[in-house]
Amino acid sequence: MSDEAGVAPIVVHGVVPGDPPFRMVDINGETVGTAHDMLDVIRLAHAAGLDHLDLDDPAFVRWVGGGKYKWVP
């Protein structure tokens, strides 16, 4: 969990048009990379040392500009 109360440790930003489209991912306030799907979000979280992943828990992941199934503009 994040150090700040009420702030999800993972923030997945809105879709950026591209070929292919992607979403920027922040973990604990730092941009850690881009994701093209949910598996990329999981990989980035694991690389950052986060083992517990509940992509449906808003206390853990904040989806900006669409939920976990939104990957195209």
Side-chain angles (χ1 to χ4, degrees):
M1 197 52 135
S2 174
D3 290 338
E4 297 180 49
V7 177
I10 299 176
V11 177
V12 183
H13 295 276
V15 177
V16 177
D19 188 19
F22 62 93
R23 297 174 81 165
M24 298 301 298
V25 178
D26 295 350
I27 297 180
N28 294 323
E30 293 187 32
T31 301
V32 295
T34 59
H36 296 98
D37 55 34
M38 285 185 283
L39 288 177
D40 286 342
V41 175
I42 293 168
R43 286 184 194 108
L44 289 167
H46 282 176
L50 299 175
D51 294 324
H52 167 74
L53 296 176
D54 184 349
L55 299 180
D56 294 318
D57 184 351
F60 192 71
V61 180
R62 182 172 151 233
W63 297 93
V64 179
K68 66 183 183 181
Y69 297 113
K70 173 95 172 140
W71 294 96
V72 293

